[in-house]
Amino acid sequence: MLRNLLWATSKHDVYLMQNYSVMHWSSLLRRGKEVLNVAKPIVPTLKYPGCLAQPLSRVQISTMTVNDNLMVAGGFQGELICKYINQPGVAFCTKISTDENAITNAVDIYHSPSGSKRVMTANNDSQVRVFDAVNFACLSRFTFPWSVNNTSVSPDGKLLAVLGDSPECLIADAQSGKVLSNLKGHLDYSFASAWHPNGQIFATGNQDTTCRLWDIRNLSESFAVLKGRMGAIRAIRFSSDGRFMAMTEPADFVHIFDAESDYARGQEIDLFGEIAGISFSPDSEALFIGVADRTYGSLLEFNRKHYDHQYLNCMF
């Protein structure tokens, strides 16, 4: 199951999975470079008394994220890998869960209200773990009643959306893990969430082929329901300027919605193959789509056309 295996750190820098390698693609140089090979043994460079780091080998990456020079990846056997992009080797890696079905479903990098950088993981063992992003010590863990498929932290670092093998989505306190609200409306399991940059709106993606939009000021019901075409909503992203929201199905379809039209106006990108991830560039000028199909595997770049505010102009 492919989840979020592509991230853009600028309009010209994209990180994506290719077989057992994390690759950096430069759209300026039209050239790719291997950043990390997870087929080989991985030995963490960070060592201190009590450090839980341990060597790993032949990791199958399930999810990844890149933020501010830090790349974090999760594996199908409960692995966590943390690497600074500008430094050789891997700073920290370990198995955070030894459960038989311990897949790391989602990883997130965020800042706490105090400004400290944190790494969050969501796992099939029903736990959410929070790590310090300097020494990678586990600071806290929150347990939920079902496998956690996705988490996302609000822009101010105070609220946490928790989704998993349940029709209900939860809003929790990001510091304590205490559940503050239960969101009802979806009909099946949930897989994706994202916060609008304003911190008031967030979106949830579900196996019922819908994305629901919620206003944190009134969580009694969602204020919009956006339909996919065929499959579950697997990934959701807002552009950094808050103007657009993109969501992807497991294969073939990416949908873009205009937030300024209350999500009434949209654009559908119809492609061919399994979708490995989507990412807006930080300047909101480009949308990247990873296609993981064995035959049609590719990285697609769509540039923003300002006269009609749509993402068009496909470049392979």
Side-chain angles (χ1 to χ4, degrees), residues 2 23 33 43 111 142 164 183 187 193-194 198 211 252 261 297 299:
L2 302 166
M23 302 292 295
K33 183 178 75 171
V43 179
H111 287 88
F142 314 133
L183 312 182
L187 305 176
S193 65
N198 67 14
C211 169
D252 301 349
S261 69
L299 172 65

Side-chain angles (χ1 to χ4, degrees), residues 4-10 12-18 21-26 33-36 64-72 83-86 276-279 288 290 299:
N4 306 322
L5 298 178
L6 178 150
W7 286 89
T9 55
S10 80
H12 309 297
D13 298 280
V14 184
Y15 295 86
L16 69 157
M17 283 300 303
Q18 184 180 2
S21 294
V22 178
M23 302 292 295
H24 168 256
W25 170 257
S26 168
K33 183 178 75 171
E34 185 179 75
V35 176
L36 174 65
M64 63 175 278
T65 183
V66 184
N67 181 286
D68 193 25
N69 194 43
L70 177 63
M71 183 193 75
V72 177
K83 173 183 171 58
Y84 293 105
I85 296 295
N86 64 349
I278 53 173
S279 183
F288 295 93
L299 172 65

Side-chain angles (χ1 to χ4, degrees), residues 70 78 121 137 167 174 185 203 208 222 232-233 301 315:
L70 177 63
T121 64
D208 63 14
S222 55
I233 305 305
E301 178 184 344
M315 297 190 298

Side-chain angles (χ1 to χ4, degrees), residues 60-239:
Q60 188 178 1
I61 299 294
S62 55
T63 183
M64 63 175 278
T65 183
V66 184
N67 181 286
D68 193 25
N69 194 43
L70 177 63
M71 183 193 75
V72 177
F76 278 86
Q77 302 299 320
E79 299 97 340
L80 175 66
I81 301 170
C82 302
K83 173 183 171 58
Y84 293 105
I85 296 295
N86 64 349
Q87 295 178 14
V90 166
F92 178 82
C93 61
T94 193
K95 271 197 174 186
I96 57 175
S97 176
T98 55
D99 278 24
E100 193 172 317
N101 183 19
I103 180 174
T104 303
N105 288 317
V107 290
D108 192 17
I109 301 170
Y110 68 100
H111 287 88
S112 70
S114 66
S116 302
K117 189 184 288 187
R118 301 280 186 253
V119 172
M120 181 173 285
T121 64
N123 282 73
N124 254 25
D125 65 359
S126 305
Q127 293 206 18
V128 170
R129 295 170 175 84
V130 179
F131 296 83
D132 179 85
V134 176
N135 59 19
F136 302 104
C138 186
L139 302 176
S140 52
R141 59 179 72 198
F142 314 133
T143 303
F144 295 91
W146 23 257
S147 295
V148 183
N149 295 328
N150 179 269
T151 58
S152 57
V153 180
S154 60
D156 63 6
K158 294 181 179 179
L159 296 176
L160 170 65
V162 185
L163 305 84
D165 287 1
S166 167
E168 291 187 1
C169 302
L170 307 177
I171 292 295
D173 182 285
Q175 299 280 91
S176 67
K178 180 184 176 183
V179 175
L180 305 175
S181 296
N182 286 42
L183 312 182
K184 300 179 187 295
H186 281 303
L187 305 176
D188 210 327
Y189 295 172
S190 294
F191 294 103
S193 65
W195 290 81
H196 189 283
N198 67 14
Q200 294 178 343
I201 307 299
F202 67 99
T204 55
N206 193 274
Q207 185 79 30
D208 63 14
T209 73
T210 70
C211 169
R212 286 180 177 261
L213 288 158
W214 312 81
D215 190 319
I216 202 69
R217 296 162 294 188
N218 178 16
L219 293 172
S220 58
E221 61 179 347
S222 55
F223 69 84
V225 181
L226 309 176
K227 284 278 294 175
R229 186 172 284 267
M230 293 173 60
I233 305 305
R234 288 282 181 187
I236 305 171
R237 298 282 179 269
F238 282 96
S239 60

